[in-house]
PDB file of all heavy atoms in Angstrom:
ATOM      1  N   ASP A  23      17.587   2.670  -3.910  1.00 88.00           N
ATOM      2  CA  ASP A  23      16.813   1.611  -3.247  1.00 88.00           C
ATOM      3  C   ASP A  23      17.275   1.391  -1.808  1.00 88.00           C
ATOM      4  O   ASP A  23      18.485   1.520  -1.537  1.00 88.00           O
ATOM      5  CB  ASP A  23      16.875   0.248  -3.993  1.00 88.00           C
ATOM      6  CG  ASP A  23      16.150   0.308  -5.312  1.00 88.00           C
ATOM      7  OD1 ASP A  23      15.516   1.349  -5.615  1.00 88.00           O
ATOM      8  OD2 ASP A  23      16.152  -0.726  -6.008  1.00 88.00           O
ATOM      9  N   THR A  24      16.335   1.042  -0.962  1.00 89.00           N
ATOM     10  CA  THR A  24      16.726   0.700   0.415  1.00 89.00           C
ATOM     11  C   THR A  24      16.584  -0.804   0.604  1.00 89.00           C
ATOM     12  O   THR A  24      15.727  -1.447   0.010  1.00 89.00           O
ATOM     13  CB  THR A  24      15.838   1.371   1.473  1.00 89.00           C
ATOM     14  OG1 THR A  24      14.455   1.151   1.180  1.00 89.00           O
ATOM     15  CG2 THR A  24      16.097   2.886   1.489  1.00 89.00           C
ATOM     16  N   GLU A  25      17.463  -1.405   1.417  1.00 90.00           N
ATOM     17  CA  GLU A  25      17.425  -2.832   1.661  1.00 90.00           C
ATOM     18  C   GLU A  25      16.892  -3.071   3.023  1.00 90.00           C
ATOM     19  O   GLU A  25      17.062  -2.230   3.937  1.00 90.00           O
ATOM     20  CB  GLU A  25      18.875  -3.392   1.542  1.00 90.00           C
ATOM     21  CG  GLU A  25      19.403  -3.398   0.136  1.00 90.00           C
ATOM     22  CD  GLU A  25      20.704  -4.125   0.044  1.00 90.00           C
ATOM     23  OE1 GLU A  25      20.922  -5.100   0.781  1.00 90.00           O
ATOM     24  OE2 GLU A  25      21.556  -3.719  -0.779  1.00 90.00           O
ATOM     25  N   PRO A  26      16.280  -4.218   3.280  1.00 93.00           N
ATOM     26  CA  PRO A  26      15.786  -4.514   4.624  1.00 93.00           C
ATOM     27  C   PRO A  26      16.930  -4.773   5.581  1.00 93.00           C
ATOM     28  O   PRO A  26      18.051  -5.156   5.131  1.00 93.00           O
ATOM     29  CB  PRO A  26      14.972  -5.784   4.416  1.00 93.00           C
ATOM     30  CG  PRO A  26      15.529  -6.395   3.174  1.00 93.00           C
ATOM     31  CD  PRO A  26      16.005  -5.290   2.319  1.00 93.00           C
ATOM     32  N   GLU A  27      16.712  -4.528   6.819  1.00 92.00           N
ATOM     33  CA  GLU A  27      17.712  -4.827   7.845  1.00 92.00           C
ATOM     34  C   GLU A  27      17.861  -6.358   7.984  1.00 92.00           C
ATOM     35  O   GLU A  27      16.975  -7.108   7.555  1.00 92.00           O
ATOM     36  CB  GLU A  27      17.298  -4.173   9.186  1.00 92.00           C
ATOM     37  CG  GLU A  27      17.289  -2.675   9.144  1.00 92.00           C
ATOM     38  CD  GLU A  27      16.874  -2.073  10.448  1.00 92.00           C
ATOM     39  OE1 GLU A  27      16.972  -2.747  11.492  1.00 92.00           O
ATOM     40  OE2 GLU A  27      16.452  -0.905  10.439  1.00 92.00           O
ATOM     41  N   ALA A  28      18.929  -6.781   8.618  1.00 95.00           N
ATOM     42  CA  ALA A  28      19.118  -8.217   8.918  1.00 95.00           C
ATOM     43  C   ALA A  28      17.933  -8.751   9.694  1.00 95.00           C
ATOM     44  O   ALA A  28      17.422  -8.054  10.572  1.00 95.00           O
ATOM     45  CB  ALA A  28      20.409  -8.419   9.668  1.00 95.00           C
ATOM     46  N   GLY A  29      17.480  -9.935   9.373  1.00 96.00           N
ATOM     47  CA  GLY A  29      16.389 -10.560  10.037  1.00 96.00           C
ATOM     48  C   GLY A  29      15.022 -10.100   9.552  1.00 96.00           C
ATOM     49  O   GLY A  29      14.020 -10.405  10.150  1.00 96.00           O
ATOM     50  N   GLN A  30      14.979  -9.313   8.473  1.00 96.00           N
ATOM     51  CA  GLN A  30      13.746  -8.839   7.890  1.00 96.00           C
ATOM     52  C   GLN A  30      13.494  -9.483   6.549  1.00 96.00           C
ATOM     53  O   GLN A  30      14.422  -9.774   5.789  1.00 96.00           O
ATOM     54  CB  GLN A  30      13.837  -7.334   7.706  1.00 96.00           C
ATOM     55  CG  GLN A  30      14.094  -6.515   8.936  1.00 96.00           C
ATOM     56  CD  GLN A  30      12.795  -6.093   9.588  1.00 96.00           C
ATOM     57  OE1 GLN A  30      11.817  -5.761   8.979  1.00 96.00           O
ATOM     58  NE2 GLN A  30      12.809  -6.117  10.922  1.00 96.00           N
ATOM     59  N   THR A  31      12.217  -9.730   6.257  1.00 96.00           N
ATOM     60  CA  THR A  31      11.786 -10.246   4.967  1.00 96.00           C
ATOM     61  C   THR A  31      11.209  -9.114   4.149  1.00 96.00           C
ATOM     62  O   THR A  31      10.228  -8.512   4.567  1.00 96.00           O
ATOM     63  CB  THR A  31      10.726 -11.347   5.128  1.00 96.00           C
ATOM     64  OG1 THR A  31      11.205 -12.368   5.986  1.00 96.00           O
ATOM     65  CG2 THR A  31      10.261 -11.928   3.812  1.00 96.00           C
ATOM     66  N   PRO A  32      11.786  -8.835   3.006  1.00 96.00           N
ATOM     67  CA  PRO A  32      11.211  -7.777   2.127  1.00 96.00           C
ATOM     68  C   PRO A  32      10.015  -8.307   1.348  1.00 96.00           C
ATOM     69  O   PRO A  32       9.955  -9.506   1.023  1.00 96.00           O
ATOM     70  CB  PRO A  32      12.328  -7.435   1.167  1.00 96.00           C
ATOM     71  CG  PRO A  32      13.122  -8.711   1.058  1.00 96.00           C
ATOM     72  CD  PRO A  32      13.013  -9.387   2.408  1.00 96.00           C
ATOM     73  N   PHE A  33       9.028  -7.452   1.055  1.00 96.00           N
ATOM     74  CA  PHE A  33       7.902  -7.821   0.234  1.00 96.00           C
ATOM     75  C   PHE A  33       7.270  -6.618  -0.407  1.00 96.00           C
ATOM     76  O   PHE A  33       7.462  -5.508   0.042  1.00 96.00           O
ATOM     77  CB  PHE A  33       6.866  -8.635   1.049  1.00 96.00           C
ATOM     78  CG  PHE A  33       6.182  -7.850   2.141  1.00 96.00           C
ATOM     79  CD1 PHE A  33       4.911  -7.286   1.953  1.00 96.00           C
ATOM     80  CD2 PHE A  33       6.809  -7.722   3.405  1.00 96.00           C
ATOM     81  CE1 PHE A  33       4.292  -6.544   3.000  1.00 96.00           C
ATOM     82  CE2 PHE A  33       6.173  -7.039   4.448  1.00 96.00           C
ATOM     83  CZ  PHE A  33       4.916  -6.472   4.230  1.00 96.00           C
ATOM     84  N   ARG A  34       6.516  -6.877  -1.455  1.00 96.00           N
ATOM     85  CA  ARG A  34       5.776  -5.857  -2.190  1.00 96.00           C
ATOM     86  C   ARG A  34       4.311  -6.203  -2.170  1.00 96.00           C
ATOM     87  O   ARG A  34       3.914  -7.343  -2.439  1.00 96.00           O
ATOM     88  CB  ARG A  34       6.267  -5.814  -3.595  1.00 96.00           C
ATOM     89  CG  ARG A  34       5.442  -4.894  -4.528  1.00 96.00           C
ATOM     90  CD  ARG A  34       5.981  -4.862  -5.939  1.00 96.00           C
ATOM     91  NE  ARG A  34       7.116  -3.886  -5.936  1.00 96.00           N
ATOM     92  CZ  ARG A  34       8.051  -3.846  -6.859  1.00 96.00           C
ATOM     93  NH1 ARG A  34       8.037  -4.644  -7.855  1.00 96.00           N
ATOM     94  NH2 ARG A  34       9.033  -2.920  -6.769  1.00 96.00           N
ATOM     95  N   VAL A  35       3.506  -5.190  -1.882  1.00 97.00           N
ATOM     96  CA  VAL A  35       2.023  -5.341  -1.976  1.00 97.00           C
ATOM     97  C   VAL A  35       1.591  -4.658  -3.273  1.00 97.00           C
ATOM     98  O   VAL A  35       2.026  -3.526  -3.560  1.00 97.00           O
ATOM     99  CB  VAL A  35       1.321  -4.662  -0.792  1.00 97.00           C
ATOM    100  CG1 VAL A  35      -0.187  -4.762  -0.922  1.00 97.00           C
ATOM    101  CG2 VAL A  35       1.756  -5.329   0.530  1.00 97.00           C
ATOM    102  N   THR A  36       0.761  -5.316  -4.051  1.00 96.00           N
ATOM    103  CA  THR A  36       0.242  -4.814  -5.278  1.00 96.00           C
ATOM    104  C   THR A  36      -1.293  -4.797  -5.233  1.00 96.00           C
ATOM    105  O   THR A  36      -1.876  -5.774  -4.815  1.00 96.00           O
ATOM    106  CB  THR A  36       0.670  -5.682  -6.520  1.00 96.00           C
ATOM    107  OG1 THR A  36       2.089  -5.736  -6.537  1.00 96.00           O
ATOM    108  CG2 THR A  36       0.176  -5.129  -7.833  1.00 96.00           C
ATOM    109  N   TRP A  37      -1.926  -3.676  -5.579  1.00 95.00           N
ATOM    110  CA  TRP A  37      -3.383  -3.590  -5.534  1.00 95.00           C
ATOM    111  C   TRP A  37      -3.865  -2.738  -6.719  1.00 95.00           C
ATOM    112  O   TRP A  37      -3.121  -1.985  -7.284  1.00 95.00           O
ATOM    113  CB  TRP A  37      -3.871  -2.988  -4.195  1.00 95.00           C
ATOM    114  CG  TRP A  37      -3.505  -1.541  -4.015  1.00 95.00           C
ATOM    115  CD1 TRP A  37      -4.285  -0.481  -4.312  1.00 95.00           C
ATOM    116  CD2 TRP A  37      -2.307  -1.028  -3.474  1.00 95.00           C
ATOM    117  NE1 TRP A  37      -3.621   0.656  -4.007  1.00 95.00           N
ATOM    118  CE2 TRP A  37      -2.424   0.380  -3.515  1.00 95.00           C
ATOM    119  CE3 TRP A  37      -1.144  -1.574  -3.005  1.00 95.00           C
ATOM    120  CZ2 TRP A  37      -1.408   1.221  -3.029  1.00 95.00           C
ATOM    121  CZ3 TRP A  37      -0.106  -0.748  -2.527  1.00 95.00           C
ATOM    122  CH2 TRP A  37      -0.251   0.626  -2.543  1.00 95.00           C
ATOM    123  N   THR A  38      -5.150  -2.914  -7.067  1.00 96.00           N
ATOM    124  CA  THR A  38      -5.752  -2.166  -8.127  1.00 96.00           C
ATOM    125  C   THR A  38      -6.960  -1.429  -7.567  1.00 96.00           C
ATOM    126  O   THR A  38      -7.756  -1.945  -6.823  1.00 96.00           O
ATOM    127  CB  THR A  38      -6.229  -3.119  -9.249  1.00 96.00           C
ATOM    128  OG1 THR A  38      -5.085  -3.855  -9.762  1.00 96.00           O
ATOM    129  CG2 THR A  38      -6.903  -2.404 -10.363  1.00 96.00           C
ATOM    130  N   ILE A  39      -7.073  -0.138  -7.977  1.00 93.00           N
ATOM    131  CA  ILE A  39      -8.226   0.673  -7.658  1.00 93.00           C
ATOM    132  C   ILE A  39      -8.951   0.971  -8.954  1.00 93.00           C
ATOM    133  O   ILE A  39      -8.344   1.343  -9.968  1.00 93.00           O
ATOM    134  CB  ILE A  39      -7.809   2.001  -7.011  1.00 93.00           C
ATOM    135  CG1 ILE A  39      -7.195   1.716  -5.628  1.00 93.00           C
ATOM    136  CG2 ILE A  39      -8.957   2.979  -6.883  1.00 93.00           C
ATOM    137  CD1 ILE A  39      -6.726   2.959  -4.900  1.00 93.00           C
ATOM    138  N   THR A  40     -10.285   0.790  -8.949  1.00 94.00           N
ATOM    139  CA  THR A  40     -11.104   1.104 -10.056  1.00 94.00           C
ATOM    140  C   THR A  40     -12.023   2.230  -9.702  1.00 94.00           C
ATOM    141  O   THR A  40     -12.724   2.198  -8.677  1.00 94.00           O
ATOM    142  CB  THR A  40     -11.964  -0.121 -10.468  1.00 94.00           C
ATOM    143  OG1 THR A  40     -11.064  -1.183 -10.842  1.00 94.00           O
ATOM    144  CG2 THR A  40     -12.858   0.197 -11.676  1.00 94.00           C
ATOM    145  N   ASN A  41     -12.051   3.289 -10.480  1.00 92.00           N
ATOM    146  CA  ASN A  41     -12.897   4.417 -10.291  1.00 92.00           C
ATOM    147  C   ASN A  41     -14.198   4.197 -10.995  1.00 92.00           C
ATOM    148  O   ASN A  41     -14.301   4.458 -12.233  1.00 92.00           O
ATOM    149  CB  ASN A  41     -12.209   5.739 -10.702  1.00 92.00           C
ATOM    150  CG  ASN A  41     -13.074   6.958 -10.462  1.00 92.00           C
ATOM    151  OD1 ASN A  41     -14.228   6.842 -10.071  1.00 92.00           O
ATOM    152  ND2 ASN A  41     -12.499   8.110 -10.600  1.00 92.00           N
ATOM    153  N   GLY A  42     -15.221   3.776 -10.301  1.00 90.00           N
ATOM    154  CA  GLY A  42     -16.514   3.550 -10.890  1.00 90.00           C
ATOM    155  C   GLY A  42     -17.457   4.724 -10.811  1.00 90.00           C
ATOM    156  O   GLY A  42     -18.661   4.621 -11.054  1.00 90.00           O
ATOM    157  N   THR A  43     -16.923   5.920 -10.555  1.00 86.00           N
ATOM    158  CA  THR A  43     -17.737   7.145 -10.467  1.00 86.00           C
ATOM    159  C   THR A  43     -17.626   7.919 -11.757  1.00 86.00           C
ATOM    160  O   THR A  43     -16.910   7.543 -12.683  1.00 86.00           O
ATOM    161  CB  THR A  43     -17.280   8.017  -9.288  1.00 86.00           C
ATOM    162  OG1 THR A  43     -16.043   8.621  -9.593  1.00 86.00           O
ATOM    163  CG2 THR A  43     -17.168   7.165  -8.007  1.00 86.00           C
ATOM    164  N   LYS A  44     -18.286   9.097 -11.780  1.00 92.00           N
ATOM    165  CA  LYS A  44     -18.216   9.967 -12.943  1.00 92.00           C
ATOM    166  C   LYS A  44     -17.242  11.116 -12.688  1.00 92.00           C
ATOM    167  O   LYS A  44     -17.177  12.047 -13.478  1.00 92.00           O
ATOM    168  CB  LYS A  44     -19.614  10.467 -13.254  1.00 92.00           C
ATOM    169  CG  LYS A  44     -20.496   9.402 -13.693  1.00 92.00           C
ATOM    170  CD  LYS A  44     -21.859   9.842 -14.128  1.00 92.00           C
ATOM    171  CE  LYS A  44     -22.703   8.673 -14.459  1.00 92.00           C
ATOM    172  NZ  LYS A  44     -23.722   8.881 -15.378  1.00 92.00           N
ATOM    173  N   LYS A  45     -16.522  11.066 -11.528  1.00 89.00           N
ATOM    174  CA  LYS A  45     -15.564  12.126 -11.191  1.00 89.00           C
ATOM    175  C   LYS A  45     -14.177  11.498 -10.981  1.00 89.00           C
ATOM    176  O   LYS A  45     -14.114  10.331 -10.561  1.00 89.00           O
ATOM    177  CB  LYS A  45     -15.982  12.822  -9.916  1.00 89.00           C
ATOM    178  CG  LYS A  45     -17.288  13.590 -10.029  1.00 89.00           C
ATOM    179  CD  LYS A  45     -17.582  14.208  -8.653  1.00 89.00           C
ATOM    180  CE  LYS A  45     -18.903  14.938  -8.684  1.00 89.00           C
ATOM    181  NZ  LYS A  45     -19.221  15.521  -7.358  1.00 89.00           N
ATOM    182  N   PRO A  46     -13.145  12.232 -11.206  1.00 93.00           N
ATOM    183  CA  PRO A  46     -11.781  11.685 -10.952  1.00 93.00           C
ATOM    184  C   PRO A  46     -11.591  11.494  -9.444  1.00 93.00           C
ATOM    185  O   PRO A  46     -12.167  12.232  -8.612  1.00 93.00           O
ATOM    186  CB  PRO A  46     -10.842  12.788 -11.404  1.00 93.00           C
ATOM    187  CG  PRO A  46     -11.665  13.676 -12.267  1.00 93.00           C
ATOM    188  CD  PRO A  46     -13.072  13.580 -11.844  1.00 93.00           C
ATOM    189  N   TYR A  47     -10.812  10.498  -9.070  1.00 88.00           N
ATOM    190  CA  TYR A  47     -10.391  10.283  -7.643  1.00 88.00           C
ATOM    191  C   TYR A  47      -9.084  11.012  -7.435  1.00 88.00           C
ATOM    192  O   TYR A  47      -8.191  10.886  -8.280  1.00 88.00           O
ATOM    193  CB  TYR A  47     -10.105   8.805  -7.403  1.00 88.00           C
ATOM    194  CG  TYR A  47     -11.262   7.890  -7.105  1.00 88.00           C
ATOM    195  CD1 TYR A  47     -11.090   6.534  -7.334  1.00 88.00           C
ATOM    196  CD2 TYR A  47     -12.451   8.319  -6.575  1.00 88.00           C
ATOM    197  CE1 TYR A  47     -12.096   5.630  -7.032  1.00 88.00           C
ATOM    198  CE2 TYR A  47     -13.482   7.425  -6.316  1.00 88.00           C
ATOM    199  CZ  TYR A  47     -13.290   6.077  -6.527  1.00 88.00           C
ATOM    200  OH  TYR A  47     -14.264   5.207  -6.259  1.00 88.00           O
ATOM    201  N   ASP A  48      -8.999  11.679  -6.330  1.00 91.00           N
ATOM    202  CA  ASP A  48      -7.697  12.216  -5.911  1.00 91.00           C
ATOM    203  C   ASP A  48      -7.033  11.130  -5.125  1.00 91.00           C
ATOM    204  O   ASP A  48      -7.461  10.836  -3.971  1.00 91.00           O
ATOM    205  CB  ASP A  48      -7.869  13.477  -5.071  1.00 91.00           C
ATOM    206  CG  ASP A  48      -6.564  14.082  -4.586  1.00 91.00           C
ATOM    207  OD1 ASP A  48      -5.503  13.471  -4.821  1.00 91.00           O
ATOM    208  OD2 ASP A  48      -6.633  15.140  -3.988  1.00 91.00           O
ATOM    209  N   LEU A  49      -6.043  10.476  -5.670  1.00 94.00           N
ATOM    210  CA  LEU A  49      -5.442   9.315  -5.017  1.00 94.00           C
ATOM    211  C   LEU A  49      -4.673   9.648  -3.730  1.00 94.00           C
ATOM    212  O   LEU A  49      -4.435   8.802  -2.909  1.00 94.00           O
ATOM    213  CB  LEU A  49      -4.498   8.577  -5.974  1.00 94.00           C
ATOM    214  CG  LEU A  49      -5.231   7.997  -7.161  1.00 94.00           C
ATOM    215  CD1 LEU A  49      -4.236   7.394  -8.153  1.00 94.00           C
ATOM    216  CD2 LEU A  49      -6.236   6.893  -6.759  1.00 94.00           C
ATOM    217  N   ASP A  50      -4.391  10.966  -3.544  1.00 90.00           N
ATOM    218  CA  ASP A  50      -3.709  11.359  -2.294  1.00 90.00           C
ATOM    219  C   ASP A  50      -4.674  11.330  -1.128  1.00 90.00           C
ATOM    220  O   ASP A  50      -4.233  11.488   0.024  1.00 90.00           O
ATOM    221  CB  ASP A  50      -3.131  12.794  -2.472  1.00 90.00           C
ATOM    222  CG  ASP A  50      -2.003  12.817  -3.477  1.00 90.00           C
ATOM    223  OD1 ASP A  50      -1.346  11.787  -3.664  1.00 90.00           O
ATOM    224  OD2 ASP A  50      -1.807  13.889  -4.076  1.00 90.00           O
ATOM    225  N   GLU A  51      -5.963  11.101  -1.368  1.00 88.00           N
ATOM    226  CA  GLU A  51      -6.954  11.027  -0.257  1.00 88.00           C
ATOM    227  C   GLU A  51      -7.138   9.571   0.189  1.00 88.00           C
ATOM    228  O   GLU A  51      -8.020   9.305   1.010  1.00 88.00           O
ATOM    229  CB  GLU A  51      -8.266  11.637  -0.706  1.00 88.00           C
ATOM    230  CG  GLU A  51      -8.071  13.144  -0.870  1.00 88.00           C
ATOM    231  CD  GLU A  51      -9.321  13.871  -1.298  1.00 88.00           C
ATOM    232  OE1 GLU A  51     -10.284  13.216  -1.771  1.00 88.00           O
ATOM    233  OE2 GLU A  51      -9.363  15.091  -1.163  1.00 88.00           O
ATOM    234  N   PHE A  52      -6.339   8.657  -0.307  1.00 89.00           N
ATOM    235  CA  PHE A  52      -6.377   7.291   0.096  1.00 89.00           C
ATOM    236  C   PHE A  52      -5.122   7.023   0.963  1.00 89.00           C
ATOM    237  O   PHE A  52      -4.051   7.544   0.700  1.00 89.00           O
ATOM    238  CB  PHE A  52      -6.359   6.303  -1.083  1.00 89.00           C
ATOM    239  CG  PHE A  52      -7.622   6.190  -1.798  1.00 89.00           C
ATOM    240  CD1 PHE A  52      -7.915   7.128  -2.808  1.00 89.00           C
ATOM    241  CD2 PHE A  52      -8.524   5.188  -1.552  1.00 89.00           C
ATOM    242  CE1 PHE A  52      -9.113   7.035  -3.533  1.00 89.00           C
ATOM    243  CE2 PHE A  52      -9.723   5.131  -2.261  1.00 89.00           C
ATOM    244  CZ  PHE A  52     -10.013   6.053  -3.222  1.00 89.00           C
ATOM    245  N   GLY A  53      -5.294   6.215   2.009  1.00 90.00           N
ATOM    246  CA  GLY A  53      -4.174   5.823   2.819  1.00 90.00           C
ATOM    247  C   GLY A  53      -4.060   4.309   2.846  1.00 90.00           C
ATOM    248  O   GLY A  53      -5.091   3.617   2.628  1.00 90.00           O
ATOM    249  N   TYR A  54      -2.917   3.767   3.060  1.00 94.00           N
ATOM    250  CA  TYR A  54      -2.751   2.310   3.103  1.00 94.00           C
ATOM    251  C   TYR A  54      -1.578   1.927   3.987  1.00 94.00           C
ATOM    252  O   TYR A  54      -0.665   2.758   4.215  1.00 94.00           O
ATOM    253  CB  TYR A  54      -2.556   1.752   1.672  1.00 94.00           C
ATOM    254  CG  TYR A  54      -1.456   2.477   0.920  1.00 94.00           C
ATOM    255  CD1 TYR A  54      -0.131   2.038   0.984  1.00 94.00           C
ATOM    256  CD2 TYR A  54      -1.776   3.570   0.149  1.00 94.00           C
ATOM    257  CE1 TYR A  54       0.856   2.698   0.260  1.00 94.00           C
ATOM    258  CE2 TYR A  54      -0.754   4.242  -0.559  1.00 94.00           C
ATOM    259  CZ  TYR A  54       0.527   3.803  -0.490  1.00 94.00           C
ATOM    260  OH  TYR A  54       1.504   4.456  -1.173  1.00 94.00           O
ATOM    261  N   GLN A  55      -1.677   0.766   4.540  1.00 94.00           N
ATOM    262  CA  GLN A  55      -0.610   0.239   5.396  1.00 94.00           C
ATOM    263  C   GLN A  55      -0.600  -1.262   5.409  1.00 94.00           C
ATOM    264  O   GLN A  55      -1.613  -1.896   5.216  1.00 94.00           O
ATOM    265  CB  GLN A  55      -0.711   0.806   6.808  1.00 94.00           C
ATOM    266  CG  GLN A  55      -1.859   0.220   7.603  1.00 94.00           C
ATOM    267  CD  GLN A  55      -1.775   0.671   9.041  1.00 94.00           C
ATOM    268  OE1 GLN A  55      -0.944   1.454   9.467  1.00 94.00           O
ATOM    269  NE2 GLN A  55      -2.643   0.134   9.838  1.00 94.00           N
ATOM    270  N   ALA A  56       0.564  -1.816   5.699  1.00 96.00           N
ATOM    271  CA  ALA A  56       0.723  -3.278   5.844  1.00 96.00           C
ATOM    272  C   ALA A  56       1.221  -3.561   7.231  1.00 96.00           C
ATOM    273  O   ALA A  56       2.008  -2.779   7.755  1.00 96.00           O
ATOM    274  CB  ALA A  56       1.690  -3.849   4.805  1.00 96.00           C
ATOM    275  N   GLN A  57       0.744  -4.636   7.823  1.00 95.00           N
ATOM    276  CA  GLN A  57       1.203  -5.062   9.145  1.00 95.00           C
ATOM    277  C   GLN A  57       1.372  -6.579   9.118  1.00 95.00           C
ATOM    278  O   GLN A  57       0.715  -7.259   8.315  1.00 95.00           O
ATOM    279  CB  GLN A  57       0.172  -4.750  10.211  1.00 95.00           C
ATOM    280  CG  GLN A  57      -0.235  -3.314  10.312  1.00 95.00           C
ATOM    281  CD  GLN A  57      -1.386  -3.149  11.266  1.00 95.00           C
ATOM    282  OE1 GLN A  57      -2.278  -3.981  11.304  1.00 95.00           O
ATOM    283  NE2 GLN A  57      -1.367  -2.076  12.033  1.00 95.00           N
ATOM    284  N   GLY A  58       2.144  -7.066  10.031  1.00 95.00           N
ATOM    285  CA  GLY A  58       2.221  -8.550  10.205  1.00 95.00           C
ATOM    286  C   GLY A  58       0.898  -9.077  10.709  1.00 95.00           C
ATOM    287  O   GLY A  58       0.227  -8.428  11.524  1.00 95.00           O
ATOM    288  N   ALA A  59       0.479 -10.228  10.178  1.00 93.00           N
ATOM    289  CA  ALA A  59      -0.810 -10.807  10.578  1.00 93.00           C
ATOM    290  C   ALA A  59      -0.665 -12.102  11.349  1.00 93.00           C
ATOM    291  O   ALA A  59      -1.643 -12.549  11.889  1.00 93.00           O
ATOM    292  CB  ALA A  59      -1.668 -11.021   9.302  1.00 93.00           C
ATOM    293  N   THR A  60       0.509 -12.671  11.428  1.00 87.00           N
ATOM    294  CA  THR A  60       0.690 -13.928  12.117  1.00 87.00           C
ATOM    295  C   THR A  60       0.762 -13.664  13.636  1.00 87.00           C
ATOM    296  O   THR A  60      -0.049 -14.201  14.374  1.00 87.00           O
ATOM    297  CB  THR A  60       1.996 -14.631  11.686  1.00 87.00           C
ATOM    298  OG1 THR A  60       1.945 -14.783  10.268  1.00 87.00           O
ATOM    299  CG2 THR A  60       2.163 -15.974  12.349  1.00 87.00           C
ATOM    300  N   THR A  61       1.711 -12.878  14.072  1.00 86.00           N
ATOM    301  CA  THR A  61       1.841 -12.538  15.467  1.00 86.00           C
ATOM    302  C   THR A  61       1.797 -11.045  15.673  1.00 86.00           C
ATOM    303  O   THR A  61       2.270 -10.525  16.701  1.00 86.00           O
ATOM    304  CB  THR A  61       3.205 -13.095  16.013  1.00 86.00           C
ATOM    305  OG1 THR A  61       4.273 -12.468  15.286  1.00 86.00           O
ATOM    306  CG2 THR A  61       3.338 -14.550  15.899  1.00 86.00           C
ATOM    307  N   GLY A  62       1.276 -10.353  14.716  1.00 84.00           N
ATOM    308  CA  GLY A  62       1.377  -8.906  14.719  1.00 84.00           C
ATOM    309  C   GLY A  62       2.669  -8.518  14.045  1.00 84.00           C
ATOM    310  O   GLY A  62       3.220  -9.243  13.218  1.00 84.00           O
ATOM    311  N   GLY A  63       3.167  -7.410  14.398  1.00 90.00           N
ATOM    312  CA  GLY A  63       4.468  -7.005  13.812  1.00 90.00           C
ATOM    313  C   GLY A  63       4.357  -5.780  12.984  1.00 90.00           C
ATOM    314  O   GLY A  63       3.440  -5.660  12.167  1.00 90.00           O
ATOM    315  N   GLU A  64       5.234  -4.836  13.219  1.00 94.00           N
ATOM    316  CA  GLU A  64       5.239  -3.600  12.485  1.00 94.00           C
ATOM    317  C   GLU A  64       6.137  -3.741  11.260  1.00 94.00           C
ATOM    318  O   GLU A  64       7.223  -4.323  11.348  1.00 94.00           O
ATOM    319  CB  GLU A  64       5.796  -2.514  13.413  1.00 94.00           C
ATOM    320  CG  GLU A  64       5.639  -1.144  12.827  1.00 94.00           C
ATOM    321  CD  GLU A  64       6.055  -0.046  13.833  1.00 94.00           C
ATOM    322  OE1 GLU A  64       5.805  -0.257  15.012  1.00 94.00           O
ATOM    323  OE2 GLU A  64       6.630   0.958  13.409  1.00 94.00           O
TER     324      GLU A  64
END
């Protein structure tokens, strides 16, 4: 496990994907990212 640097807040994002099609989804074709939303922030 990696720990956040000093002055950083760790967090986990949890999401659910539902495949409503008749074919399998290749999950490697999805991308995702989190960013700060208050003042921006990487």
Side-chain angles (χ1 to χ4, degrees):
D23 289 359
T24 54
E25 292 188 32
E27 294 180 21
Q30 300 269 323
T31 302
F33 65 97
R34 172 178 278 162
V35 177
T36 302
W37 68 93
T38 300
I39 293 180
T40 300
N41 183 350
T43 72
K44 295 183 183 207
K45 296 180 182 178
Y47 278 157
D48 179 354
L49 295 174
D50 294 333
E51 293 179 344
F52 286 84
Y54 51 90
Q55 70 171 5
Q57 303 172 322
T60 304
T61 60
E64 189 173 325

